[in-house]
Amino acid sequence: MSQKTFRRIVTGHDADGKAIVVSDAPPVRAQLVGGPGGPTFFEVWHTLETPAQIHAQPSDSDETGLVLPPPKNATRIRVIEFPPEGEEIRQLTGSDAAEKFRAMGDERASTSAAGAPHPLMHRTQTVDYGIVLEGEMTLVLDRAETTIYPGDIVIQNGTNHAWANRSDKLCRMAFVLIDGEFALS
């Protein structure tokens, strides 16, 4: 069921200040979350601050585990491959869901509760751009849901949500996560 691996091309500058390719390879960190039937996260890149520091020879950070949100005042880009959702996801309890988010480095993101529209509802204090690359995905919100297709882009503004792959094919999405804070009313 695995899709063609994608490349991560990182650019930089040589000693003369000319633009070069620093690396061209598949992402170096991939993690299956929740065991068989769970999504695979490909950690592509993240910045540590805004404005981002632009280095002549950028390199990966020393981050080793999966961390759901970006660093404070920073950004993260990842690709996630979601297999078709099975009954094991739909039957998750609140504590099961919290464990899934613990595996993603942010147990506090889980908002799973009795009567929720999906057991993997969650919320982060971020603005996220989600882009469907392949397949289709249903975005589940508290009071709405919509199916998105290749080329569609979701701008997620700190909303409570879940992703449900209700198709029979893998869905690959790219996400750009930007640290944020909720505005006071």
Side-chain angles (χ1 to χ4, degrees):
M1 186 180 302
S2 179
Q3 304 287 70
K4 176 183 176 279
T5 302
F6 60 94
R7 296 165 39 212
R8 179 189 75 165
I9 296 101
V10 179
T11 65
H13 300 88
D14 65 15
D16 297 323
K18 299 297 182 185
I20 60 169
V21 171
V22 174
S23 69
D24 182 345
V28 294
R29 291 192 307 126
Q31 183 173 335
L32 175 65
V33 175
T40 300
F41 283 61
F42 296 89
E43 297 300 279
V44 178
W45 197 261
H46 70 271
T47 62
L48 297 175
E49 65 277 308
T50 302
Q53 295 294 304
I54 300 172
H55 299 278
Q57 296 285 312
S59 62
D60 285 311
S61 74
D62 57 1
E63 222 176 49
T64 55
L66 179 62
V67 181
L68 191 62
K72 188 72 179 152
N73 299 316
T75 66
R76 179 179 307 283
I77 182 169
R78 69 170 42 109
V79 171
I80 304 178
E81 290 181 348
F82 296 92
E85 183 176 287
E87 280 303 311
E88 70 280 357
I89 297 293
R90 291 188 277 276
Q91 301 301 321
L92 289 174
T93 65
S95 61
D96 294 336
E99 182 57 37
K100 299 281 187 199
F101 284 98
R102 184 177 303 115
M104 292 181 245
D106 194 359
E107 179 182 1
R108 296 177 326 222
S110 178
T111 59
S112 183
H118 193 279
L120 291 176
M121 295 295 286
H122 62 285
R123 184 178 187 194
T124 55
Q125 195 164 285
T126 57
V127 174
D128 303 339
Y129 306 138
I131 305 140
V132 179
L133 302 173
E134 299 175 38
E136 64 183 62
M137 180 64 67
T138 300
L139 169 62
V140 181
L141 301 171
D142 291 327
R143 295 191 172 146
E145 57 179 62
T146 187
T147 301
I148 54 178
Y149 303 94
D152 290 346
I153 301 169
V154 174
I155 294 90
Q156 177 100 301
N157 289 292
T159 53
N160 195 38
H161 69 285
W163 301 104
N165 181 352
R166 296 177 179 156
S167 78
D168 62 353
K169 294 183 173 66
L170 191 87
C171 178
R172 181 184 277 181
M173 291 183 67
F175 292 91
V176 176
L177 298 87
I178 304 165
D179 182 48
E181 56 186 54
F182 294 112
L184 300 175
S185 299

